Amino acid sequence: MNDNSSTSAQIEADGERLVLAGDWTLEHFYRIQRKLKSLDPSQFTTLCFDNVTRLDTSAAQLLVEWFDPARMHELSSQLPASRRSLLLSVTEAVQTQQQDPPPKADANTLTQAVALLGRHMESLFLQQKYLLAFLGLVLSALARTLWRPKRWRVTATVYHIQQTGLNAVPIVVLLTFMVGAVVAFLGATVLETFGATIYTVNLVAFAFLREFGVMLAAIMLAGRTASAFTAQLGSMKSNEEVDALHTQGLDPIEVLVLPRVIALWVSLPLLAFIGTLSGIFGGAVVSMVALDIPLAQFLRIVERDIAITHFYVGIVKAPVFALVIALIGCAEGFNVSGSAQSVGEHTTSSVVQSIFMVILLDALAALYFMEMGW
């Protein structure tokens, strides 16, 4: 290779001996590549590195691939130890890459769809397995601290009750009030055909006592609180604050997770109760304005026709929803890898999982209670 610089990479063919000189680095990669293409590697049986001043992995990989890894392994035995170790490392890496080529994309669309479904099912199974293991850790931590009042995190628990419960009251009241009004409008529109608009009262009360009150409050907390838990714990994980707790001999489950779980256990039943009352009140307002049903008559119909059992059926689901939302939010927070992108991904995942699990559990509970005749 012709170059006026004394440090440029040089290659000379001396019979069966290949003489290398200068800097064999990334800076001269394309020069080396062009020169090697003009030579036949099979004619050389000896390598000379005596005049090589610098050698990096890029030039070494180019030389290994040109010679073939097997031949380079043989030729490198003649070299000094400082050069041989680098060439052998690059040779092993190239051999590994050649032995394990990347899988070719399957042209069969059906096969790809089935494989994608399989990966999603495997991911779902591992996710649920992790969630069950996390539930075990939370319950064991709760059992350890339940009979030791000195270890209770009262301040943190009260703080999270305020954040998840008290601060969520306005949005829950507004949401359930509007949904109650919509349910009343729809019920009145359908029942008017049969001359039974008075049963709009029963529809609104039945729907909110059994389903909508607790489910809307849970969905609101799933979007509002689960995401907050994941972002908070994910940021702590990124800043190594969780590792600092371990270093101090503290259990992160006891310090960070239990106060959040207990706070949701307190907050969600109260929000569900408030949401139920607000939804029924929304239906009552629509009944007064559009159906000429006075508030006193509305309340008498609810008291006469709607059994208290329906309220129990709805409110008993609140602690279960609270546990699921808190577990998913905290578990996703502990899964954050450390980057800002990971925090965002796991926050989104916690919201989606929480809402999905709330709706799924509510559907299963509705089927169970219906079969039981409750």
Side-chain angles (χ1 to χ4, degrees), residues 209-263:
L209 287 172
R210 290 185 69 98
E211 301 294 338
F212 286 167
V214 63
M215 188 172 68
L216 290 174
I219 290 175
M220 183 58 62
L221 282 190
R224 183 180 182 274
T225 304
S227 59
F229 287 176
T230 303
Q232 291 165 3
L233 297 180
S235 298
M236 295 181 70
K237 183 81 177 295
S238 301
N239 296 332
E240 299 182 352
E241 295 177 43
V242 176
D243 296 333
L245 290 176
H246 281 295
T247 304
Q248 296 172 12
L250 299 174
D251 183 5
I253 301 295
E254 180 182 331
V255 175
L256 301 176
V257 178
L258 277 185
R260 289 171 166 82
V261 172
I262 295 171

Side-chain angles (χ1 to χ4, degrees), residues 209-212 214-215 218 268 312-323 361-363 365-366 369:
L209 287 172
R210 290 185 69 98
E211 301 294 338
F212 286 167
V214 63
M215 188 172 68
L268 186 53
Y312 296 149
V313 166
I315 205 68
V316 76
K317 294 181 286 187
V320 179
F321 292 165
L323 178 63
L361 292 175
D362 187 74
F369 290 137

Side-chain angles (χ1 to χ4, degrees), residues 365-374:
L367 292 174
Y368 173 77
F369 290 137
M370 184 176 64
E371 290 296 326
M372 295 297 293
W374 295 347

Side-chain angles (χ1 to χ4, degrees), residues 37-181:
K37 285 182 179 179
S38 66
L39 300 174
D40 181 11
S42 61
Q43 74 180 74
F44 301 106
T45 59
T46 306
L47 276 175
C48 178
F49 271 79
D50 295 344
N51 297 322
V52 173
T53 54
R54 294 169 61 195
L55 175 66
D56 65 9
T57 54
S58 60
Q61 181 179 357
L62 192 60
L63 190 63
V64 168
E65 291 175 346
W66 180 71
F67 258 118
D68 182 77
R71 285 199 63 209
M72 177 55 70
H73 199 278
E74 297 175 2
L75 294 174
S76 61
S77 61
Q78 311 165 9
L79 302 177
S82 59
R83 305 299 186 192
R84 184 170 63 247
S85 59
L86 175 61
L87 287 172
L88 286 178
S89 299
V90 174
T91 301
E92 292 174 2
V94 172
Q95 284 178 327
T96 303
Q97 185 179 13
Q98 291 178 350
Q99 290 171 0
D100 300 320
K104 295 182 180 179
D106 196 341
N108 191 326
T109 306
L110 179 61
T111 304
Q112 290 179 342
V114 173
L116 181 62
L117 177 63
R119 286 194 293 271
H120 282 306
M121 293 303 296
E122 181 186 16
S123 175
L124 180 62
F125 171 76
L126 294 176
Q127 192 177 64
Q128 297 307 312
K129 182 180 177 181
Y130 172 75
L131 196 60
L132 286 175
F134 194 77
L135 173 62
L137 290 175
V138 172
L139 293 179
S140 64
L142 180 62
R144 288 195 307 269
T145 59
L146 189 60
W147 310 111
R148 300 178 182 177
K150 291 183 179 180
R151 298 178 63 175
W152 293 356
R153 304 282 171 173
V154 179
T155 303
T157 303
V158 173
Y159 169 78
H160 288 298
I161 290 175
Q162 178 185 0
Q163 293 296 315
T164 62
L166 184 61
N167 292 351
V169 168
I171 186 64
V172 170
V173 168
L174 178 62
L175 176 65
T176 52
F177 179 86
M178 291 189 296
V179 173

